[in-house]
Amino acid sequence: GRSLRPDVIVNLPDGKHLIIDSMMTLVAYEQYSSADEIEKQEQFGKMHLDSLKAHIEGLSKKRYHAADKLITPDFVILFMPLEPAFALAFKLKPDLFQEAWDKNIAIVSPTTLLATLRTVAALWKQDRQEKNALEIARRGGLLYEKFAGLLKDLQNLGDKLSQAQKAHEDVIKKVGEGK
């Protein structure tokens, strides 16, 4: 019964949408950046990673693709606004992207966000083109069936005209050449 309120809804062609969640708190990352000691950096780096994992887990439980009035893929884009925070997370846990993807979360940074949006839009455009191609093929099949039926009818008409011509010739022979 909870209402879903995504941070950003990107409107795409054909009434489709893309959900973007604009990252969680970056307190641990700030502490990591400010720490002078390596041990403290490691501690805050782990906290940063734990915070990101918790956000991924919470976001994966939201089902935006099942929400009314949203036509969206079953994944959400998790936007991390700071490139260094993004880089640190993947440095500390290189398989983080795959783990997030397995939970239907795509993690992006400012550098990768536009490319991701364009990729999704291109995929939907390709999907629409494939559907149009299938519709064209379906209609082409129907048109072919109509032409095949017309050709059969024309052949039938030709046969009947030939039979009528032969019957006409037979009558003329009987009348003109008969005894």
Side-chain angles (χ1 to χ4, degrees), residues 71-118:
I71 301 172
T72 181
D74 62 352
F75 67 90
V76 174
I77 294 179
L78 173 60
F79 177 65
M80 292 183 68
L82 294 175
E83 290 285 346
F86 178 81
L88 175 62
F90 287 100
K91 176 183 174 189
L92 297 174
K93 186 154 182 63
D95 59 345
L96 181 65
F97 186 86
Q98 186 59 48
E99 284 182 20
W101 186 255
D102 291 342
K103 294 180 181 189
N104 297 326
I105 308 295
I107 304 174
V108 299
S109 68
T111 305
T112 59
L113 178 61
L114 185 58
T116 302
L117 292 174
R118 286 185 181 205

Side-chain angles (χ1 to χ4, degrees), residues 54-173:
H55 192 68
I56 290 169
E57 190 63 38
L59 196 54
S60 73
K61 291 179 180 165
K62 295 181 181 181
R63 297 178 40 87
Y64 290 115
H65 64 279
D68 288 340
K69 299 179 184 170
L70 287 179
I71 301 172
T72 181
D74 62 352
F75 67 90
V76 174
I77 294 179
L78 173 60
F79 177 65
M80 292 183 68
L82 294 175
E83 290 285 346
F86 178 81
L88 175 62
F90 287 100
K91 176 183 174 189
L92 297 174
K93 186 154 182 63
D95 59 345
L96 181 65
F97 186 86
Q98 186 59 48
E99 284 182 20
W101 186 255
D102 291 342
K103 294 180 181 189
N104 297 326
I105 308 295
I107 304 174
V108 299
S109 68
T111 305
T112 59
L113 178 61
L114 185 58
T116 302
L117 292 174
R118 286 185 181 205
T119 300
V120 171
L123 289 173
W124 269 337
K125 181 179 179 183
Q126 181 180 354
D127 179 60
R128 187 177 72 242
Q129 287 173 340
E130 285 175 14
K131 287 178 183 172
N132 286 342
L134 289 173
E135 179 62 16
I136 289 168
R138 184 187 71 78
R139 288 185 181 191
L142 292 173
L143 188 59
Y144 172 80
E145 289 173 10
K146 286 285 190 186
F147 278 125
L150 178 62
L151 180 59
K152 185 177 178 183
D153 290 346
L154 285 173
Q155 287 171 339
N156 237 0
L157 178 62
D159 291 344
K160 300 240 190 259
L161 285 173
S162 293
Q163 289 172 1
Q165 180 68 31
K166 182 165 179 356
H168 176 261
E169 288 172 3
D170 288 346
V171 169
I172 293 294
K173 282 183 186 177

Side-chain angles (χ1 to χ4, degrees), residues 18-29:
L18 198 57
I19 306 300
I20 301 177
D21 182 81
S22 58
M23 190 34 193
M24 80 275 175
T25 178
L26 293 172
V27 173
Y29 175 75

Side-chain angles (χ1 to χ4, degrees), residues 46-62:
K46 184 180 178 329
M47 287 172 58
H48 170 62
L49 193 57
D50 290 343
S51 175
L52 179 57
K53 285 180 182 179
H55 192 68
I56 290 169
E57 190 63 38
L59 196 54
S60 73
K61 291 179 180 165
K62 295 181 181 181

